[in-house]
């Protein structure tokens, strides 16, 4: 399995608080059958420019690199907070894409209204750069819950859609999450793991939930999609 959305790098955002926590999360991932993990720490442009974020991210990875459990492939990336306002230069944004790919994980506004400027900026970024936005945890946005057709609009713009594994397990979210799957609107699943207490990885449980719903074939397609994302440029994991 592939986990395309995590907050495992230590001392970098609201995820793993230290290297020991990072290693414990990775070991848990491995025990669940995860073979590839993408580190997508939060990037907020108002705090640091991309170059400063990359310096901090690489330093965090250096503390962890030699201790990553055998059997796990890892890739660097970022979860880019994208409001459509004061967007960094596209060339700089592209540096935050998943390592070795042309795919960029975007986090959109949770509670504020999505303006035309926002969606036009996403479309413009994709058109001008040739990079593909992956919209993080689409099921969590108020705008999407009020107007699910927005997901179709994002897909029509060329975006891929990511849903959190936990959303397939919780009573209040699993109905909508599985409805997206049944409509072919989920391309990636990620744990969005931050720790082993409140926001732990649960991909194996999500896979079991897909199987219970009779959607294991869809799960396999989603896994294939994520492998395609990771090999698109390098040609290998």
């Amino acid at each position: 399995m592939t986990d395309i959305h995590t907050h495992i790098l230590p001392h970098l955002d609201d995820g793993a608080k230290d290297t020991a926590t990072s290693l414990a999360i990775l070991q848990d991932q491995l025990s669940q059958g995860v073979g590839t993990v993408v580190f997508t720490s939060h990037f907020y442009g108002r705090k640091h420019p991309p170059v400063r974020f990359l310096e901090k991210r690489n330093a965090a990875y250096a503390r962890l690199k030699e201790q990553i459990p055998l059997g796990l492939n890892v890739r660097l990336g970022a979860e880019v907070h994208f409001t459509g306002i004061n967007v960094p230069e596209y060339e700089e944004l592209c540096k935050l894409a998943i390592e070795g790919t042309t795919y960029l994980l975007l986090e959109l506004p949770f509670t504020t209204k999505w303006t035309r400027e926002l969606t036009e900026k996403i479309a413009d970024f994709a058109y001008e750069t040739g990079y593909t936005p992956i919209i993080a945890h689409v099921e969590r946005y108020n705008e999407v819950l009020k107007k699910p057709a927005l997901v179709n609009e994002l897909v029509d713009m060329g975006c891929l859609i990511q849903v959190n594994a936990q959303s397939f397990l919780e009573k209040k979210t699993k109905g909508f999450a599985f409805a997206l799957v049944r409509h072919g609107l989920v391309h990636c699943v990620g744990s969005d793991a931050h720790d082993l207490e409140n926001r732990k990885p649960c991909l194996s449980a999500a896979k079991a939930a897909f199987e219970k719903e009779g959607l294991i074939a869809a799960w396999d397609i989603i896994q294939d999609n994520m492998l395609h994302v990771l090999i698109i440029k390098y040609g290998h994991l």
Side-chain angles (χ1 to χ4, degrees), residues 90-157:
Y90 289 168
E91 183 178 352
E92 295 300 303
L93 274 183
C94 290
K95 295 177 182 178
L96 303 177
I98 297 172
E99 180 186 1
T101 81
T102 54
Y103 291 86
L104 180 68
L105 185 69
L106 297 184
E107 179 183 67
L108 304 185
F110 279 98
T111 57
T112 57
K113 184 177 177 60
W114 291 3
T115 63
R116 180 175 294 275
E117 181 181 13
L118 170 65
T119 53
E120 287 180 349
K121 203 70 173 178
I122 295 171
D124 185 63
F125 167 77
Y127 177 77
E128 291 293 333
T129 65
Y131 278 56
T132 301
I134 301 175
I135 307 303
H137 42 56
V138 76
E139 78 285 2
R140 295 181 59 194
Y141 302 120
N142 284 348
E143 287 290 281
V144 168
L145 294 175
K146 290 187 295 185
K147 186 183 176 184
L150 283 171
V151 181
N152 298 81
E153 292 179 22
L154 289 166
V155 172
D156 289 342
M157 288 162 47

Side-chain angles (χ1 to χ4, degrees), residues 138-139 163-186 189 203 205-219 222:
V138 76
E139 78 285 2
V163 172
N164 282 358
Q166 187 65 39
S167 296
F168 296 105
L169 305 176
E170 296 181 355
K171 184 177 181 180
K172 64 180 181 180
T173 55
K174 66 181 183 180
F176 183 55
F178 278 121
L180 291 174
V181 172
R182 290 188 173 93
H183 283 85
L185 294 172
V186 179
V189 171
L203 286 177
K207 180 180 179 181
F210 270 71
E211 191 163 18
K212 184 177 180 180
E213 292 286 328
L215 291 169
I216 195 62
W219 175 267
I222 291 167

Side-chain angles (χ1 to χ4, degrees), residues 51-101:
V51 64
R52 177 59 179 147
F53 169 83
L54 292 172
E55 290 171 355
K56 291 168 67 69
R57 186 193 68 182
N58 292 343
Y61 179 55
R63 288 193 289 269
L64 189 65
K65 184 176 181 180
E66 300 303 322
Q67 303 177 71
I68 291 172
L70 292 175
L72 268 183
N73 296 306
V74 300
R75 196 76 68 86
L76 297 174
E79 182 183 8
V80 177
H81 188 62
F82 195 95
T83 64
I85 303 172
N86 298 323
V87 176
E89 294 292 329
Y90 289 168
E91 183 178 352
E92 295 300 303
L93 274 183
C94 290
K95 295 177 182 178
L96 303 177
I98 297 172
E99 180 186 1
T101 81

